[in-house]
Amino acid sequence: MKSDIDNTVTGRITRELADRIIAGHIAPGTKLRQDHFAEEFGASHVPVREAFRRLEAQGLVVSEPRRGVRVASFDIAEVREVAEMRASLEVLALRHAAPHLTSAILDEAEAINRAGENAPDVRAWEEANRAFHRLILTPCSMPRLLATIDDLHAASARFLFSGFRMEWEAPTDQDHRAILKALRERQFDVAAATLARHVKWIGTKPGTKTRSRTLS
Amino acid sequence: MKSDIDNTVTGRITRELADRIIAGHIAPGTKLRQDHFAEEFGASHVPVREAFRRLEAQGLVVSEPRRGVRVASFDIAEVREVAEMRASLEVLALRHAAPHLTSAILDEAEAINRAGENAPDVRAWEEANRAFHRLILTPCSMPRLLATIDDLHAASARFLFSGFRMEWEAPTDQDHRAILKALRERQFDVAAATLARHVKWIGTKPGTKTRSRTLS
DNA sequence: GGATTCAAAATTATAGATAAAAAAGGAATC
DNA sequence: GATTCCTTTTTTATCTATAATTTTGAATCC
């Protein structure tokens, strides 16, 4: 099954590096030296290289042959690109998932949404946000689509963490509520349109707005 | 740039294996043994393993930890899924590319389309088809989107080659012509709708239809 | 100061060896 | 005869050591 955690050394290194890059602990453009991480993780360079390949596929690092890999940089154009891709694909997923959404699932989504609104920091809010989207999209039963959306979520999260360092208040997720309301009333077109607008909005707002003090 | 050919051993093995899988020379479900390919390519097992990771990311092979990698199988549901993803993403790309399409580009697309209609076999037709789509979508200037679409094209091609083995006639690409016509008249909504229908049709027709009759 | 040359470092790749897990095969048992 | 259990073999996953190629940085020279 896919849910089995990859317990190989390659898998652990991949997850750890992905977390660090998404959280912004490694700055974009930083060169990643295989021997350095091999030593840090007590492994050899081979699993480190394999982890690099996986991260490359997720778009978290870029690889130049014979010049190594560096953390992928993202400018505003890339952030918008990811947001538009997410909007398209999440709408597709929702269209297929909607007929299979039970009210139990929608109740759970509402609970997750409330948890997100009470989140103490960006990290917790992002986790709740991702859980919300994943929950209402999973019933589409399209594994490749869901995997691609997950990768795009990771790219979005990088941007979120990089722009929102400072004081942060959990927004009341009005869009999430509107989506759930539309889904309960089985107005799938309304739900899809709201979702598309919501995802694109996430992609554009923080970057143009907040840029003041940097607290960790 | 991305256009630099990856001349490392890993890159060559990746391309060669991807070609074979797409062309159907290796059956779905086949176990890929690293030592076998290491010997065949005169390389060691390390670059073979790295190639496996890249193919895994493209969805051409699936990997189970400690059990190796197998050529990804694809059933009709997966083919439909890929077609729907392509439709969504190509429409998005076209929306962004359309304003930048010059009549020179559209002329070139028309030439490629004619070449595709005269193609002697599926392989040549598929190449022309891919070139057509890529040509009219590239001006969107969204590299991640284009890369994702390329991966989906590869998945589509696998299906095409597996279902269309025998006698085959080049279809007159009515849809391609309609798309070009709409683009020339700057009716972008019409072009996008036609493209979406076209891509979904490619995904569904050969599997459900050409099982009984082998074309006349 | 700028260009050339040389040395150090990093990536890429090879080879052989080891550990661990899965698959295969065969013997003992019911 | 079929099943279970154990052994053998195969394959994956990993490490260590090392070579070759390339990049990079520094020192030198004009």
Side-chain angles (χ1 to χ4, degrees):
Chain A
M1 280 293 177
K2 200 84 178 262
S3 56
D4 291 338
I5 318 164
D6 184 356
N7 252 342
T8 62
V9 175
T10 298
R12 279 198 303 276
I13 296 177
T14 305
R15 281 194 301 274
E16 176 64 26
L17 288 183
D19 274 352
R20 288 190 201 176
I21 294 172
I22 292 169
H25 294 151
I26 316 180
T30 308
K31 263 203 288 199
L32 301 180
R33 283 182 287 269
Q34 55 184 23
D35 288 340
H36 174 265
F37 289 110
E39 193 181 5
E40 178 184 339
F41 292 111
S44 80
H45 65 103
V46 179
V48 175
R49 293 182 60 78
E50 289 188 61
F52 283 173
R53 297 297 177 214
R54 286 193 172 160
L55 296 170
E56 185 185 7
Q58 290 179 339
L60 294 178
V61 307
V62 290
S63 157
E64 296 161 276
R66 307 215 168 256
R67 300 183 80 184
V69 305
R70 48 185 61 225
V71 176
S73 62
F74 54 95
D75 52 19
I76 186 66
E78 246 177 288
V79 173
R80 291 245 305 267
E81 179 179 358
V82 169
E84 301 238 29
M85 289 177 70
R86 268 189 63 192
S88 279
L89 293 181
E90 293 204 20
V91 162
L92 172 62
L94 185 63
R95 284 240 160 78
H96 285 262
H100 305 110
L101 286 173
T102 64
S103 51
I105 296 178
L106 295 176
D107 290 346
E108 196 180 339
E110 206 160 317
I112 291 176
N113 192 31
R114 269 194 298 273
E117 288 173 356
N118 296 328
D121 55 10
V122 210
R123 180 100 194 187
W125 178 82
E126 203 281 326
E127 199 174 329
N129 182 63
R130 192 169 58 221
F132 177 89
H133 284 253
R134 197 188 301 222
L135 186 65
I136 63 171
L137 299 182
T138 297
C140 74
S141 300
M142 296 163 89
R144 183 170 192 145
L145 174 58
L146 290 172
T148 306
I149 290 174
D150 269 352
D151 284 350
L152 295 171
H153 263 277
S156 294
R158 280 190 74 195
F159 170 63
L160 210 59
F161 293 153
S162 77
F164 259 148
R165 283 287 169 73
M166 53 242 87
E167 33 195 329
W168 177 86
E169 53 171 359
T172 63
D173 266 318
Q174 209 62 39
D175 282 344
H176 284 187
R177 294 183 181 200
I179 292 168
L180 289 179
K181 181 167 178 288
L183 287 174
R184 284 193 201 278
E185 295 165 357
R186 309 199 83 69
Q187 297 184 335
F188 298 151
D189 286 340
V190 175
T194 308
L195 176 64
R197 184 172 51 75
H198 168 66
V199 171
K200 284 187 206 162
W201 174 81
I202 287 187
T204 52
K205 189 203 168 191
T208 54
K209 220 181 175 185
T210 38
R211 178 74 64 96
S212 42
R213 72 190 174 93
T214 44
L215 194 79
S216 66
Chain B
M1 277 293 184
K2 200 85 179 257
S3 57
D4 292 337
I5 319 164
D6 185 356
N7 249 345
T8 61
V9 176
T10 298
R12 280 199 303 275
I13 296 177
T14 306
R15 282 193 300 276
E16 176 65 26
L17 288 184
D19 275 352
R20 288 190 201 174
I21 294 172
I22 292 169
H25 294 151
I26 316 180
T30 308
K31 267 200 288 199
L32 300 180
R33 283 181 288 268
Q34 54 185 21
D35 288 342
H36 174 264
F37 290 110
E39 192 179 7
E40 177 185 340
F41 292 113
S44 75
H45 54 257
V46 179
V48 174
R49 293 183 59 79
E50 289 190 60
F52 283 172
R53 297 298 178 211
R54 285 191 172 162
L55 297 170
E56 185 185 6
Q58 290 179 342
L60 293 177
V61 306
V62 290
S63 158
E64 293 162 275
R66 307 233 160 238
R67 300 185 78 183
V69 304
R70 302 193 327 271
V71 175
S73 62
F74 54 96
D75 52 19
I76 187 65
E78 247 177 287
V79 173
R80 291 247 305 268
E81 178 179 0
V82 168
E84 300 237 31
M85 289 177 70
R86 269 189 62 193
S88 279
L89 293 181
E90 292 204 22
V91 163
L92 172 61
L94 185 63
R95 285 239 158 79
H96 285 262
H100 306 110
L101 286 173
T102 65
S103 52
I105 295 177
L106 295 176
D107 290 347
E108 197 181 336
E110 206 160 319
I112 290 176
N113 193 29
R114 269 193 299 274
E117 288 174 354
N118 296 328
D121 55 10
V122 210
R123 180 102 194 184
W125 179 83
E126 202 281 328
E127 198 173 332
N129 182 63
R130 192 170 56 221
F132 177 89
H133 284 253
R134 197 187 302 222
L135 186 65
I136 63 171
L137 299 182
T138 298
C140 74
S141 300
M142 295 164 90
R144 184 171 190 143
L145 174 58
L146 291 171
T148 305
I149 290 173
D150 270 352
D151 284 350
L152 294 172
H153 263 277
S156 294
R158 281 189 74 194
F159 169 63
L160 210 58
F161 294 154
S162 76
F164 260 147
R165 281 287 171 72
M166 47 244 97
E167 31 194 332
W168 176 86
E169 56 171 356
T172 64
D173 265 317
Q174 209 62 40
D175 283 344
H176 284 187
R177 294 184 181 201
I179 291 167
L180 289 179
K181 181 167 179 289
L183 288 174
R184 284 194 202 279
E185 295 166 356
R186 311 199 81 70
Q187 297 185 335
F188 297 151
D189 285 342
V190 175
T194 309
L195 177 65
R197 185 172 48 77
H198 168 67
V199 171
K200 283 187 207 163
W201 175 81
I202 287 187
T204 53
K205 189 204 168 190
T208 53
K209 233 181 174 179
T210 41
R211 186 57 67 94
S212 48
R213 77 185 175 96
T214 42
L215 283 190
S216 49

